[in-house]
Amino acid sequence: MIKVKETLNSIKFASSGIQYLLKHEPNARIHLIATIIVIFISIWVNLSSLEWVAILVAICLVWTAELFNTAIETIFNLVEPAQNPVVKVGKDTAAGAVLVMAILSVLIGSIILIPAVIEKIFPWLLEIFL
């Protein structure tokens, strides 16, 4: 049986985490702007269903990595507020995970969106290269 109240509370807590991320993490705001731009471009070029799946997975991977990174950094700050080389390694590797996901997302977006945008703006240009 689904417990509606508990489910709604879980959604509320998760939403609070996302709000915290957007309010306190400057990189999250950059991700938000990039997400909005990519979604608008994807709508404009009329992506296929499979292309949409790839774009949405890439977007969600970056957001998930950013949320985990913030959670890890917050825990490290609570456990050891002072400078500590071990904490630095933990924070840096968590941030590295976000960077890896962001690079992957840029690659996926470029592979899908650059040809689609070129085709939309300069359809004759693709004929030269194909």
Side-chain angles (χ1 to χ4, degrees), residues 8-124:
L8 292 175
N9 279 336
S10 294
I11 293 169
K12 178 182 167 188
F13 297 143
S15 298
S16 293
I18 294 168
Q19 288 173 359
Y20 177 90
L21 181 77
L22 290 168
K23 184 175 181 182
H24 297 283
E25 296 297 328
N27 286 343
R29 292 188 288 279
I30 293 169
H31 295 312
L32 179 61
I33 292 166
T35 297
I36 291 167
I37 291 169
V38 166
I39 288 173
F40 277 120
I41 291 171
S42 298
I43 291 168
W44 178 59
V45 298
N46 195 27
L47 294 182
S48 70
S49 295
L50 189 57
E51 290 168 329
W52 267 110
V53 168
I55 292 291
L56 293 174
V57 166
I59 289 169
C60 288
L61 285 173
V62 171
W63 281 103
T64 301
E66 191 67 62
L67 286 159
F68 276 127
N69 179 51
T70 299
I72 289 167
E73 287 184 353
T74 302
I75 292 168
F76 274 128
N77 290 340
L78 176 66
V79 172
E80 183 58 66
Q83 292 287 335
N84 180 308
V86 175
V87 169
K88 181 181 182 334
V89 169
K91 288 180 170 184
D92 289 352
T93 54
V98 178
L99 180 61
V100 168
M101 288 297 173
I103 291 169
L104 174 66
S105 292
V106 167
L107 292 173
I108 291 170
S110 296
I111 290 167
I112 293 171
L113 294 176
I114 289 174
V117 168
I118 290 172
E119 184 178 3
K120 188 84 166 176
I121 298 174
F122 308 108
W124 51 268

